[in-house]
Amino acid sequence: MGCALGGTVGAVRPVTGGDLNLAFRMVVDGHPVFVKTAPDTSAEASSAFPGEAAGLLWLAEPGALPVPAVLAVTERFLALQWVEPGPSRGAATEEELGRGLAAVHAAGAPAYGGAHVLRLGPLALADGPAESWAACFAQQRLEPLIGRALDLGRVDPAGAAALVRVCERMDTLAGPPEPPARVHGDLWSGNVHVDRDGRPWLVDPAAHGGHREVDLAMLRLFGGMSERCFSAYEEVAPLADGHRERVTLWQLFPLLVHAVLFGGGYGARATEIARRLA
C-alpha cells in the first residue's frame, strides 16, 4: 500500500470508518492520510472504492462543500486527504451544510441514476439511467431490496406486499417532477465530517443523479440534523409542496438497505411506513 501511495508508511492507527470497512490514519512521508479497506475479500465489496472515489470527485466539482481529495484508489483500498476532526457541529456548521448542499444539488446530473452500479458495501444495485425519478426509485432502489429482505426474513410476506404496492403507486407518491439533482446518495449525519474550523465535509458517498429530497430525508434519519440545516437549504432552494409528507417515502431506501445488511428492526420500520403509504 505504501508503494501505491507513492511514499514511505510510518505510524498507522485504526480510526472509525463506518460499519462495513476498516479505516486507518496512516502517516505517509510525514503526512497523515485516511485509508480504508474492505474486510470482505469478495469482488462485490472491494470494487466499491473506485465508484466512491469517482463520486467524491463529482461532488467536489461545484465547489460548494469541501470533499477530501482522492490520493490513491484500487479495488482493495481508498486513500484520502486526512481532515482533522473538530468539535461537534453547531448552528453555523448545519447552516453551511444546508446552503452548500443546495448548491451541490443544483449542479445537476445527466440523468436519474448513473452510469455505474450503485454500491453500498457488499450491496450492488443496477443504476442505469432511468426515464423518471419515480421509476428509478421504485425499480432500481426499492424492488431489488424488497426481494432480498424477504428472502433473508427481514420483512414478512405481508410487509413485502405493502412495499410492492408503494412501488406501484410511485408515480403518485413521488411528487411533482424535478430535474435530476447531484445527490450524495448516503447522506446520514455520520457522513458529514466536521473539521477543526467547524466546516462540514461530505464523505463516503454513493453519488448519482437523483431527487434532492432523498438526501434531505436521510439527514433526518438516524439522529440527523436540526431544522437549522433544512431552513438554510430552503433559503437557497425552496422545496416543492408536500415535501414533508414525502420524507418517510424516501427513507424506505436506507431502511431497507439496513434491513438487508444488518437485520434488527429496520425491516419492521420500513413495512410500517409502507402500510401507511400503500
Side-chain angles (χ1 to χ4, degrees):
M1 188 179 296
C3 293
L5 287 171
T8 302
V9 176
V12 178
R13 63 175 171 84
V15 296
T16 301
D19 298 311
L20 300 171
N21 295 298
L22 301 175
F24 304 90
R25 182 187 185 274
M26 180 179 295
V27 177
V28 179
D29 286 345
H31 301 287
V33 175
F34 176 84
V35 177
K36 67 178 181 178
T37 66
D40 185 347
T41 58
S42 68
E44 290 81 4
S46 62
S47 62
F49 294 132
E52 181 179 339
L56 287 167
L57 295 171
W58 192 52
L59 294 174
E61 285 179 2
L65 286 171
V67 172
V70 176
L71 303 179
V73 61
T74 72
E75 291 192 347
R76 300 304 309 138
F77 77 92
L78 174 64
L80 302 173
Q81 170 190 3
W82 176 264
V83 180
E84 192 67 31
S88 299
R89 63 180 184 266
T93 302
E94 293 197 351
E95 290 166 5
E96 182 176 357
L97 175 64
R99 291 189 295 269
L101 189 60
V104 172
H105 287 167
Y112 296 106
H116 307 285
V117 172
L118 182 71
R119 296 194 181 275
L120 296 160
L123 284 178
L125 302 175
D127 199 33
E131 63 183 19
S132 69
W133 176 245
C136 182
F137 193 67
Q139 298 166 14
Q140 299 182 14
R141 300 293 184 268
L142 298 189
E143 289 178 2
L145 293 174
I146 295 168
R148 295 192 196 191
L150 181 61
D151 291 343
L152 291 168
R154 308 290 168 76
V155 300
D156 60 24
L163 287 159
V164 170
R165 289 195 297 273
V166 169
C167 292
E168 293 170 346
R169 297 192 60 220
M170 195 61 65
D171 284 337
T172 301
L173 295 172
E178 292 199 356
R182 186 171 305 207
V183 301
H184 178 285
D186 192 18
L187 195 60
W188 69 292
S189 58
N191 284 341
V192 178
H193 179 84
V194 182
D195 69 15
R196 288 185 297 183
D197 296 323
R199 294 204 68 195
W201 293 60
L202 298 181
V203 299
D204 202 13
H208 59 275
H211 198 302
R212 60 200 179 114
E213 290 177 11
V214 176
D215 271 352
L216 298 173
M218 193 161 186
L219 276 176
R220 294 181 180 274
L221 196 60
F222 309 134
M225 301 291 166
S226 77
E227 287 301 319
R228 291 189 184 93
C229 175
F230 306 107
S231 296
Y233 183 101
E234 288 213 76
E235 288 174 5
V236 177
L239 296 167
D241 291 345
H243 66 92
R244 289 188 179 274
E245 289 71 29
R246 291 187 290 274
V247 168
T248 56
L249 171 67
W250 307 132
Q251 288 176 344
L252 285 175
F253 177 60
L255 288 172
L256 284 174
V257 168
H258 278 68
V260 169
L261 293 179
F262 308 118
Y266 297 111
R269 190 169 172 187
T271 56
E272 179 186 351
I273 293 169
R275 289 188 179 102
R276 293 200 303 266
L277 295 173

